[in-house]
Amino acid sequence: MKSFSTKGAKIAEFSNTDSGTYLQEILHDDIKTGYLMGFCEVQHCSENLMFVSASSKFKDLFIGDGFEWKSWKIKDERNDNSICVDRLREIERDMSNIAEHHLYQGADKEICISAPMLEATKNRMKNVKSYGPEVFEEASMDPLNTV
């Protein structure tokens, strides 16, 4: 069992099997995220939490508002120009922001991932239409483990 606390207040306790699920719950609760961020700042891993949080929000761009990524992908493969162009621009903008703040060398909140993982993530970014919400999935695994 892992647990984390800040200034003596126990925030969570979880095993390795349910930590990913529980972290997603925390990321969708601003108060819990704030406590976790405080803990991460003390442990010098806040950039990892910021990246995992940004990756989670990126995934949310692919759902909701009548927009379903899988149907969007099928329309694109049929060369139907009725794709939500604005949504694609939003996805590309957010993807670039995540990369600029967390992935590129010298970024203000750069995370530490292997060179092959970084290259694989850059390739996924170039092919966002194929990978969709999974663009940052592999790159999130190591930072998620350190959080």
Side-chain angles (χ1 to χ4, degrees):
M1 285 273 175
K2 288 184 180 180
S3 66
F4 63 91
S5 61
T6 180
K7 295 184 181 179
K10 191 173 188 179
I11 298 170
E13 189 169 311
F14 50 86
S15 67
N16 287 336
T17 57
D18 61 2
S19 61
T21 303
Y22 189 73
L23 185 60
Q24 289 302 317
E25 291 175 23
I26 291 173
L27 292 174
H28 286 89
D29 182 322
D30 291 340
I31 294 172
K32 290 178 182 176
T33 299
Y35 281 114
L36 180 57
M37 182 59 72
F39 170 79
C40 289
E41 286 172 351
V42 170
Q43 298 298 318
H44 305 291
C45 63
S46 61
E47 67 281 355
N48 291 337
L49 178 60
M50 289 177 186
F51 175 71
V52 171
S53 178
S55 298
S56 177
K57 289 176 184 172
F58 177 78
K59 285 182 180 182
D60 292 345
L61 291 174
F62 290 87
I63 56 174
D65 298 333
F67 178 82
E68 186 178 336
W69 175 67
K70 289 181 182 179
S71 64
W72 168 60
K73 185 178 173 185
I74 291 167
K75 285 181 185 176
D76 185 52
E77 288 171 355
R78 293 181 186 157
N79 294 320
D80 182 352
N81 291 327
S82 65
I83 300 170
C84 297
V85 175
D86 290 339
R87 183 61 68 102
L88 180 58
R89 285 186 187 133
E90 183 181 2
I91 287 167
E92 289 172 340
R93 184 185 64 240
D94 281 17
M95 189 173 55
S96 293
N97 284 337
I98 292 170
E100 288 173 16
H101 290 290
H102 300 288
L103 297 178
Y104 297 143
Q105 188 172 1
D108 57 339
K109 296 292 181 182
E110 183 179 0
I111 61 168
C112 183
I113 59 174
S114 68
M117 180 66 63
L118 180 59
E119 287 305 310
T121 302
K122 287 179 181 178
N123 286 332
R124 285 173 171 242
M125 290 172 60
K126 290 176 188 173
N127 297 302
V128 67
K129 289 181 182 177
S130 297
Y131 289 100
E134 306 297 319
V135 168
F136 297 110
E137 192 69 22
E138 281 185 306
S140 296
M141 299 317 284
D142 283 343
L144 182 61
N145 288 333
T146 58
V147 169

